[in-house]
Amino acid sequence: MKAAVLIQRWYRQYVARMEMRRRYTWNIFQSIEYSGEQAQIKLYNFLGYLMDNFNPTSTERNLISHIFRENEVCRDTEWERHFCYKNIEVPEIYSGPRLIFPLTVEQVAAMVEAFRNKRQLHSRYVLQLLLETWKLLRKLPNISRISTCHSKEITVCGDLHGQLEDLLLIFYKNGMPSLDRPYVFNGDFVDRGKDSIEILLILFAFLLVYPNDVHLNRGNHEDHIVNLRYTMHGKRILKLLQKIFSWLPLATVIDQKVLILHGGISNTTDLCLIARVDRHKYVSALRPPKKRTQYPVSQSSVDLDMEDDLSGTKNNQRRVSLIKANSFGPRDGFQRRSLQDFSGRVPRTVDEEIEVRRRQSGFIKGGFSHSQGELNNLAVSSASQESTDTADTTVEEWKQILDLLWSDPMSQNGCIPNEVRGGGCYWGPDVTQDFLDRHNMQLIIRSHECKQDGYEFCHNRRVLTLFSASNYYEVGSNRGAYVKLGPDLVPYLIQYQASSMTRELTLRKNVGKVEHSALKVLREQLFAHKSDLVSAFQEFDKDKTGVVSLNDWATAVESVLRLGLPWRMLRFQLATCKTPGGMLDYQEWFQELSIKEPQMEHIDQGLLETLYRHRATLETIFRIVDLDNSGFITMEDFRQTWKLLSAFLKMEITDEAISDLSVTIDTNQDGNIDIDEFMEAFRLTDKKSRLERGKSMFMGTTTDLTKLEGDPNI
């Protein structure tokens, strides 16, 4: 018995240690991912600020203006021109799948098999498929309503993120979509994985064959702003996907009882309003459509957009996904703002509004006469009020869509801004219960968050998070899952892992492998913030001894990185170089991180550190500046890119430092910078982390699309 108790105790301790390691590994990956999302949103807000506050002829404004034109509404005939495929010939030597429209299930199955075997679809068929998809999506409602009575079960899939192997495994285990096997795909089909275009084409093809049995919800990554850092095969494909993404339905309801949406809800989510919005206006959910109106120069259009929200009173309990917003103030505070800062200003309370109306009424009854000019002003004010009412509606619709795509559940009651992601909100069990009661529903199925088991219930099992991209952060990091719902609407969950490698590893080896990858990513983050960390350590090291206590080390690291990680627990993996007194030599610690950095001693170290720290942001700006999607930018554009980055980061980068950097990179001295070579030259380690994988959104896809570049309309 004593031996049995000892073995049991040892085993429980072993399992507890494994679970502890698994959890902090997960926290590392997730914290860095969300930090990257927030940085991207802040960059977009900054670029929007430049657009709205720089004069129309400024160089910075011209460099970025094209990404905001996507929110302009074009006539359908203008868009159809981009879909033109008839002038593209399919050569006889082409051995890939051939599509004849209307599609048949046999053709789609052949296309799936071709993608499985790494074969590609000709650009003519890609364009034709996108055109037919666009035509169909325009006919669909914002909220798809389906019933289990027409089939035995409905299958719901979560995020796929460009991982074709997961989609193929789902089809292998569950079968392909058919009249008897309907599917709902809940957004985030693209981004991060290398097979985004293949997944889109497969889903669109099945949608065309089974328009009543395949349902696609929009995710927060079906957004051209989120994908700015990825290269595309020509402007035409980029524009078509932006348009198609904006026409994707926003939610699906099963049997009037189960709501399926990508992100979540807030305490102001209104399905009736969501059902009425013109969803295609919101090409990006990160910025409300702007009204093309001439305003005085003294008042920025961003301010005017935000003032349009002054009259609403029904959202006083919570400003959807907002922080209390003031006027913009100094430009240097911009990068600290998240998406919520720009959603609106706090309106008057009901009592304040009544008092204002009472004073206005008293003024009119006081017998004041109006001149003709005053009457004209009143007429202008009335027209302006109508315009404001329209803008109010637009902003309110945008908030609804933003919350739908970006929100996450939390365990506490209430509804608060989602500061971690920078968009949407956190909502609690009370909000879920109230929403389900108001709409007479019983379950919310959402995605948007990677879960270690592929799924997770919360809010008394009234909310189910579903994630279908296995091995998302690293091989072995998580399972994928999908759910099947029958007439009883009881969720039946199926888990899987697409990589066979994980089946060959023991629990200990699997946890160790993923932990090693997470710690490597974290070491890169620590090394990239070396200067700030040294300054933070010196705040505790007043006597300049070069050592700090482990507790002070943990406090300093969190103050710089702000990732919310358990640093005191992680110190045993990250900080082993201790002195006999239990202190840590922080200079020696940086050497212990074992980060391999490029050999560029003549480059300003502050500039290098900025590059390490903001690689994703810098690459996003590069892709924006690369107007022809060639992968190359001129020296002048290279300098302007760094000027934009320096303004965004609120730091001074000298022309001399930029010139030294450009000369180092332009080895053939042709006056152009290869973006991919530049980003690779300044990678801290040889191996890419999973969070940076997917250098091109459409990597390894239809090379024939590059032929479109010869078309003058591209």
Side-chain angles (χ1 to χ4, degrees):
M1 287 297 294
K2 288 183 178 179
V5 169
L6 286 173
I7 293 172
Q8 186 181 59
R9 184 182 301 166
W10 170 85
Y11 179 74
R12 286 177 177 172
Q13 291 175 347
Y14 170 78
V15 171
R17 285 195 300 269
M18 290 297 104
E19 181 61 20
M20 179 186 68
R21 291 169 62 189
R22 198 172 76 125
R23 288 189 182 185
Y24 72 60
T25 295
W26 189 259
N27 287 340
I28 292 171
F29 279 130
Q30 202 165 62
S31 296
I32 293 175
E33 179 190 14
Y34 290 172
S35 175
E37 282 189 347
Q38 191 178 84
Q40 196 166 17
I41 290 174
K42 289 179 180 178
L43 172 63
Y44 183 58
N45 287 335
F46 169 73
L47 297 179
Y49 173 82
L50 293 184
M51 281 295 299
D52 294 316
N53 291 275
F54 277 39
N55 65 70
T57 59
S58 68
T59 305
E60 294 89 343
R61 196 179 195 280
N62 291 336
L63 279 173
I64 63 175
S65 61
H66 64 284
I67 69 171
F68 293 97
R69 295 194 199 111
E70 308 308 333
N71 276 14
E72 297 176 5
V73 179
C74 298
R75 294 188 297 272
D76 289 341
T77 53
E78 295 179 28
W79 279 105
E80 289 187 21
R81 175 175 59 84
H82 292 291
F83 287 103
C84 183
Y85 59 87
K86 296 179 180 178
N87 60 339
I88 301 176
E89 296 290 336
V90 181
E92 294 183 3
I93 60 172
Y94 170 69
S95 59
R98 295 176 182 267
L99 304 183
I100 301 174
F101 292 82
L103 288 176
T104 64
V105 65
E106 290 78 16
Q107 292 182 76
V108 180
M111 186 176 71
V112 172
E113 189 61 27
F115 290 159
R116 185 198 308 273
N117 296 321
K118 308 301 180 184
R119 290 158 63 196
Q120 299 166 349
L121 186 65
H122 194 275
S123 57
R124 176 190 175 97
Y125 301 130
V126 172
L127 287 173
Q128 194 170 2
L129 181 57
L130 294 180
L131 173 61
E132 296 301 321
T133 302
W134 176 63
K135 289 179 179 179
L136 175 59
L137 288 175
R138 292 169 61 199
K139 301 175 183 178
L140 300 182
N142 293 343
I143 302 176
S144 305
R145 299 185 181 274
I146 57 180
S147 174
T148 57
C149 68
H150 298 298
S151 64
K152 294 181 180 179
E153 292 177 316
I154 295 173
T155 302
V156 184
C157 299
D159 298 30
L160 289 166
H161 279 297
Q163 297 186 186
L164 181 61
E165 61 271 24
D166 288 299
L167 180 62
L168 296 178
L169 184 56
I170 292 171
F171 287 166
Y172 173 78
K173 295 171 72 70
N174 194 60
M176 292 189 183
S178 68
L179 295 174
D180 299 323
R181 196 178 295 110
Y183 275 81
V184 178
F185 293 94
N186 197 24
D188 278 11
F189 321 122
V190 300
D191 195 11
R192 297 214 168 95
K194 60 184 174 56
D195 298 315
S196 292
I197 188 66
E198 283 82 356
I199 287 181
L200 284 178
L201 295 177
I202 289 172
L203 297 185
F204 291 164
F206 275 118
L207 175 66
L208 293 174
V209 175
Y210 301 114
N212 297 318
D213 301 286
V214 173
H215 307 274
L216 309 180
N217 289 344
R218 184 177 182 178
N220 68 308
H221 284 254
E222 277 71 62
D223 187 308
H224 82 282
I225 296 302
V226 175
N227 292 298
L228 278 177
R229 70 181 180 276
Y230 299 108
T231 57
M232 298 287 187
H233 289 287
K235 291 182 182 179
R236 181 185 297 184
I237 299 299
L238 175 62
K239 282 184 173 292
L240 300 189
L241 289 175
Q242 289 167 4
K243 192 66 174 176
I244 288 173
F245 288 166
S246 71
W247 277 105
L248 286 169
L250 301 172
T252 301
V253 174
I254 300 177
D255 291 346
Q256 305 298 325
K257 293 293 184 181
V258 178
L259 175 65
I260 306 170
L261 42 70
H262 180 72
I265 60 173
S266 72
N267 60 0
T268 60
T269 298
D270 183 349
L271 291 185
C272 293
L273 176 57
I274 291 170
R276 297 194 305 266
V277 304
D278 287 334
R279 64 182 186 271
H280 72 283
K281 293 193 306 184
Y282 303 91
V283 179
S284 173
L286 299 181
R287 183 179 172 94
K290 292 194 62 179
K291 195 170 175 58
R292 298 296 176 196
T293 308
Q294 295 298 321
Y295 297 110
V297 176
S298 61
Q299 190 171 18
S300 77
S301 56
V302 171
D303 284 337
L304 287 162
D305 282 347
M306 298 308 106
E307 286 174 0
D308 287 341
D309 195 40
L310 287 176
S311 61
T313 57
K314 94 176 193 181
N315 294 331
N316 281 352
Q317 292 179 348
R318 187 186 80 82
R319 300 296 301 151
V320 189
S321 50
L322 291 87
I323 300 170
K324 181 176 179 181
N326 300 315
S327 58
F328 278 97
R331 175 176 168 186
D332 62 9
F334 209 88
Q335 69 273 15
R336 296 192 300 271
R337 298 175 181 265
S338 61
L339 192 64
Q340 298 90 338
D341 291 293
F342 312 101
S343 309
R345 293 204 178 96
V346 178
R348 302 183 183 113
T349 65
V350 174
D351 292 340
E352 289 171 340
E353 187 66 34
I354 291 174
E355 177 63 19
V356 170
R357 296 293 174 88
R358 186 186 63 77
R359 290 177 181 175
Q360 291 174 343
S361 176
F363 178 81
I364 294 172
K365 292 178 180 178
F368 289 89
S369 61
H370 298 285
S371 66
Q372 184 61 42
E374 290 172 327
L375 291 174
N376 289 340
N377 289 337
L378 286 173
V380 171
S381 298
S382 176
S384 176
Q385 181 62 42
E386 290 182 9
S387 175
T388 300
D389 291 342
T390 302
D392 282 344
T393 302
T394 298
V395 172
E396 178 59 30
E397 290 177 356
W398 169 67
K399 293 171 188 172
Q400 294 275 332
I401 293 175
L402 181 66
D403 283 341
L404 221 66
L405 300 183
W406 281 87
S407 296
D408 295 307
M410 65 178 179
S411 57
Q412 300 87 0
N413 284 336
C415 201
I416 61 175
N418 193 330
E419 295 282 4
V420 176
R421 289 188 188 269
C425 71
Y426 283 116
W427 87 94
D430 58 329
V431 176
T432 294
Q433 190 64 52
D434 176 68
F435 176 87
L436 293 176
D437 290 344
R438 281 190 288 114
H439 294 88
N440 193 26
M441 292 182 174
Q442 66 186 47
L443 179 66
I444 296 173
I445 298 178
R446 43 92 62 179
S447 302
H448 195 44
E449 286 183 284
C450 183
K451 298 298 181 182
Q452 288 181 325
D453 293 321
Y455 74 93
E456 182 179 270
F457 282 100
C458 63
H459 296 182
N460 301 316
R461 296 182 68 86
R462 309 300 295 276
V463 174
L464 169 61
T465 298
L466 195 65
F467 198 84
S468 298
S470 64
N471 309 305
Y472 179 61
Y473 295 123
E474 181 61 69
V475 174
S477 64
N478 66 286
R479 295 180 180 179
Y482 59 92
V483 66
K484 302 176 77 170
L485 295 169
D488 58 2
L489 298 181
V490 176
Y492 175 63
L493 288 147
I494 296 93
Q495 298 170 283
Y496 56 86
Q497 217 153 8
S499 175
S500 60
M501 184 186 304
T502 58
R503 293 191 290 270
E504 301 169 1
L505 299 176
T506 63
L507 172 63
R508 184 174 182 177
K509 288 182 178 179
N510 187 49
V511 171
K513 184 178 185 301
V514 178
E515 179 188 41
H516 175 77
S517 178
L519 291 174
K520 181 179 71 68
V521 174
L522 190 56
R523 287 190 185 98
E524 293 174 13
Q525 290 285 317
L526 291 166
F527 193 84
H529 290 78
K530 181 177 179 179
S531 296
D532 291 341
L533 286 170
V534 169
S535 297
F537 293 147
Q538 288 174 347
E539 288 294 318
F540 292 99
D541 182 22
K542 299 296 186 182
D543 297 331
K544 299 182 180 180
T545 61
V547 297
V548 292
S549 70
L550 290 176
N551 282 338
D552 289 344
W553 171 86
T555 302
V557 170
E558 175 58 26
S559 70
V560 172
L561 266 65
R562 299 185 182 278
L563 292 175
L565 293 173
W567 295 107
R568 286 172 178 79
M569 182 184 298
L570 291 170
R571 68 188 184 188
F572 299 106
Q573 283 75 22
L574 296 172
T576 59
C577 53
K578 293 180 290 185
T579 63
M583 306 291 281
L584 183 139
D585 185 322
Y586 48 86
Q587 293 293 351
E588 183 183 343
W589 173 65
F590 281 112
Q591 297 177 5
E592 189 189 51
L593 287 177
S594 302
I595 298 298
K596 181 180 178 181
E597 61 176 321
Q599 297 299 316
M600 299 195 178
E601 295 83 357
H602 60 290
I603 302 298
D604 180 76
Q605 287 302 304
L607 190 63
L608 283 177
E609 196 168 306
T610 300
L611 202 160
Y612 300 151
R613 195 181 310 175
H614 301 283
R615 287 187 77 257
T617 298
L618 184 60
E619 184 170 7
T620 298
I621 300 176
F622 275 145
R623 300 300 180 190
I624 294 171
V625 173
D626 180 21
L627 297 180
D628 59 359
N629 296 286
S630 64
F632 294 87
I633 58 174
T634 65
M635 284 292 187
E636 181 57 32
D637 287 344
F638 180 80
R639 292 188 180 91
Q640 291 300 329
T641 298
W642 277 98
K643 291 297 184 184
L644 280 174
L645 185 65
S646 66
F648 172 61
L649 298 177
K650 208 177 45 166
M651 62 180 294
E652 185 68 29
I653 301 177
T654 65
D655 290 336
E656 183 181 1
I658 297 174
S659 296
D660 289 343
L661 187 60
S662 61
V663 169
T664 301
I665 296 301
D666 185 22
T667 53
N668 60 358
Q669 298 182 348
D670 64 349
N672 291 314
I673 301 293
D674 185 315
I675 298 174
D676 289 336
E677 286 187 8
F678 177 84
M679 300 311 298
E680 198 62 34
F682 290 91
R683 192 175 295 281
L684 281 174
T685 55
D686 295 331
K687 181 182 176 184
K688 295 181 184 179
S689 71
R690 176 61 181 84
L691 293 176
E692 292 181 333
R693 197 180 300 167
K695 178 173 57 178
S696 167
M697 175 183 173
F698 290 23
M699 184 190 300
T701 60
T702 49
T703 54
D704 290 317
L705 295 178
T706 57
K707 299 176 182 177
L708 296 175
E709 294 293 345
D711 194 307
N713 292 325
I714 296 178

